[in-house]
Amino acid sequence: MATEGLSFDELAEATREPVPRIRHWDKLGLLPRDGAAFRSDALGRARLVSFAVRRGITAEAIARACEGDDVIGRFLDLIAGTDPRQTHSVAEAASAAGLDEAVVRRLWVASGLGDQPEAFDEDLENLRVFAFALEAGMPIDALLQLVRVLNDALTRVAEAETRLFHFYVHERLRAEGLTGTELDAATEQVSAPLEGLVEPAVLYFHRKAWQRAMREDMVLHLAEDVAGDDGAIGQMTVAVLFVDLANFTPMTEAMGDTAAAVVIERFSHLVREAASECDGRVLKQIGDEFMLVFPSGTQVVSCGRSIMAKAAVEQQFPDVRLGAHSGVALYREGDYLGTTVNVAARVTSQATRGQFLVTDTVRRELDADEAVDSIGWRALKGVSDEIELFEVGSSRAPRPVDPVCGMVIDPEACLVTLEWRSERVFFCSEACRDRFVADPGRYGQPASS
């Protein structure tokens, strides 16, 4: 489809926008012309304007932003590989790739293309790759799982690339006083040399991850039995560890989101470092909570102990809570599902600050001299029978905790304390001390008489 000579109706159809809105954008100068005809980039620009409008930016604000600085044009140039003039319907793409249209629509959604009404040439080429995989014997369910994992993971990668650059480079330059074309030029000076490094970096990390995955796959091949009793595809025996920060919500409230993010960054480093030392893998992170998987209970306990030890030497750092369980889990879309994972999460919810709890299945994998103590049988939410839980001992000596933010305090190094009702209370900062004095009842203490 050639863009030159497109009518308003054709632009509206291609962008799924009403004709009056297209005319309005044209009056604002957002759809450039060569005389009476639209320029060849009009369709691509219209699609970017449509996207921005859906995100809450008015057409008038877009037009103002483009005065003297072709913002839309710059980003249109950056979005390489999609020629808006060469499009195919999904049905046409399915036919060209030799695939059933219903299969293509499932792959389309799995690929994250649900908001893209038409297929570009590069999409058609990728559908042919999918067709080859299916012809080679890969089941459609497995292919769909792989496509969803690739899309989810690489969407996160691309988002991190662009947003981190925007926040830490572009916004820093803007804070230094640069504006307009001067800001754009300075940003381009930094970004241009980096653009060609992105895809090589992705390939590098994929190659390293592939090597680790292949080592794990070798173990699967060497194992006598990797399926559960019912023979379901994807069942594996794993040990699952959940770990989070105790009192994270009050800490965030007291310290603010930015300071809490710094704590999360420190926590993320020590969790990942401990996992790499114990043949474990961080499967996911949601806020301050991490889910890790290990080949055995021995390794999961070693990692948990390491996390606790590393957290203990951090200055002004909250306590951690950990819980682990081992058993058969179902591998799906790069994740693990099932009772084993659910029980591990529930075990963690039973832990108090500074406590590491495990189930009997984990305990039975440990050496006889491993220090674990039964804390009794507990009813876990969503689990029919009570489960006996065991505490993995910690060598960390008890230390005082800031009653406001939950930070563990080194009493020898603490600079902010308060005598309160014949007891010394330790604080990480004067701000926390002042919060406590203003409302001690909120932190479990009666007001001073």
Side-chain angles (χ1 to χ4, degrees), residues 95-113:
S95 177
L99 291 170
D100 182 79
E101 184 179 345
V103 170
V104 168
R105 291 194 179 278
R106 294 178 69 190
L107 289 166
W108 199 254
V109 173
S111 301
L113 300 176

Side-chain angles (χ1 to χ4, degrees), residues 7-285:
S7 68
F8 285 106
D9 289 340
E10 289 169 326
L11 271 179
E13 181 180 0
T15 57
R16 295 187 174 182
E17 294 285 358
V19 172
R21 184 172 294 171
I22 295 294
R23 291 188 180 277
H24 179 57
W25 295 350
D26 180 49
K27 289 180 181 178
L28 291 172
L30 295 173
L31 304 180
R33 298 168 172 269
D34 285 328
F38 285 115
R39 276 190 356 211
S40 60
D41 59 347
L43 178 55
R45 287 172 176 268
R47 284 175 167 151
L48 288 183
V49 171
S50 175
F51 180 83
V53 168
R54 292 199 305 273
R55 290 296 190 272
I57 311 297
T58 67
E60 288 75 13
I62 298 171
R64 287 194 297 272
C66 291
E67 290 176 359
D69 177 20
D70 188 10
V71 177
I72 297 295
R74 283 194 290 107
F75 277 90
L76 188 61
D77 291 339
L78 289 171
I79 303 174
T82 55
D83 185 350
R85 296 168 295 175
Q86 302 298 322
T87 60
H88 318 269
S89 69
V90 174
E92 291 170 343
S95 177
L99 291 170
D100 182 79
E101 184 179 345
V103 170
V104 168
R105 291 194 179 278
R106 294 178 69 190
L107 289 166
W108 199 254
V109 173
S111 301
L113 300 176
D115 62 344
Q116 183 180 306
E118 298 171 304
F120 299 108
D121 284 346
E122 64 182 1
D123 302 319
L124 181 55
E125 288 303 311
N126 199 50
L127 287 175
R128 291 190 175 114
V129 173
F130 293 160
F132 178 81
L134 293 171
E135 290 172 5
M138 191 172 196
I140 181 61
D141 288 345
L143 180 58
L144 284 167
Q145 287 188 52
L146 178 59
V147 170
R148 283 191 285 262
V149 170
L150 286 170
N151 171 58
D152 292 348
L154 291 176
T155 294
R156 186 179 178 191
V157 168
E159 183 179 87
E161 291 165 0
T162 56
R163 291 191 177 176
L164 292 175
F165 184 88
H166 181 88
F167 292 145
Y168 289 91
V169 178
H170 177 84
E171 288 300 307
R172 175 179 57 79
L173 293 171
R174 193 164 69 91
E176 292 173 357
L178 299 182
T179 59
T181 55
E182 188 180 17
L183 173 60
D184 294 334
T187 302
E188 175 70 14
Q189 186 177 9
V190 179
S191 65
L194 299 177
E195 289 174 11
L197 303 179
V198 171
E199 290 192 0
V202 171
L203 290 174
Y204 164 80
F205 282 106
H206 178 266
R207 184 168 61 252
K208 290 294 185 181
W210 174 269
Q211 292 168 354
R212 292 192 295 269
M214 291 305 292
R215 290 197 296 268
E216 294 295 336
D217 192 56
M218 179 193 69
V219 174
L220 289 181
H221 280 276
L222 294 173
E224 292 182 357
D225 182 16
V226 297
D229 293 339
D230 60 1
I233 296 175
Q235 286 190 332
M236 299 175 62
T237 299
V238 294
V240 180
L241 172 70
F242 283 92
V243 55
D244 63 16
L245 295 174
N247 302 312
F248 182 69
T249 299
M251 182 192 74
T252 302
E253 181 182 0
M255 300 175 61
D257 291 341
T258 301
V262 173
V263 173
I264 289 290
E265 184 175 354
R266 293 162 61 193
F267 187 42
S268 176
H269 174 78
L270 68 86
V271 167
R272 294 172 192 279
E273 184 178 46
S276 65
E277 295 167 351
C278 303
D279 287 332
R281 181 164 72 90
V282 175
L283 193 68
K284 65 180 72 173
Q285 174 188 355

Side-chain angles (χ1 to χ4, degrees), residues 348-401:
T348 310
S349 68
Q350 294 288 312
T352 59
R353 49 178 292 268
Q355 192 173 41
F356 181 12
L357 300 180
V358 301
T359 61
D360 188 52
T361 57
V362 173
R363 181 193 65 83
R364 284 188 275 112
E365 295 185 58
L366 303 179
D367 294 335
D369 58 352
E370 184 74 50
V372 292
D373 300 304
S374 175
I375 64 168
W377 294 78
R378 300 291 176 86
L380 305 182
K381 183 178 179 180
V383 180
S384 56
D385 298 324
E386 288 191 347
I387 293 179
E388 187 177 14
L389 299 181
F390 298 82
E391 181 174 6
V392 177
S394 171
S395 59
R396 172 172 172 168
R399 290 195 289 179
V401 175

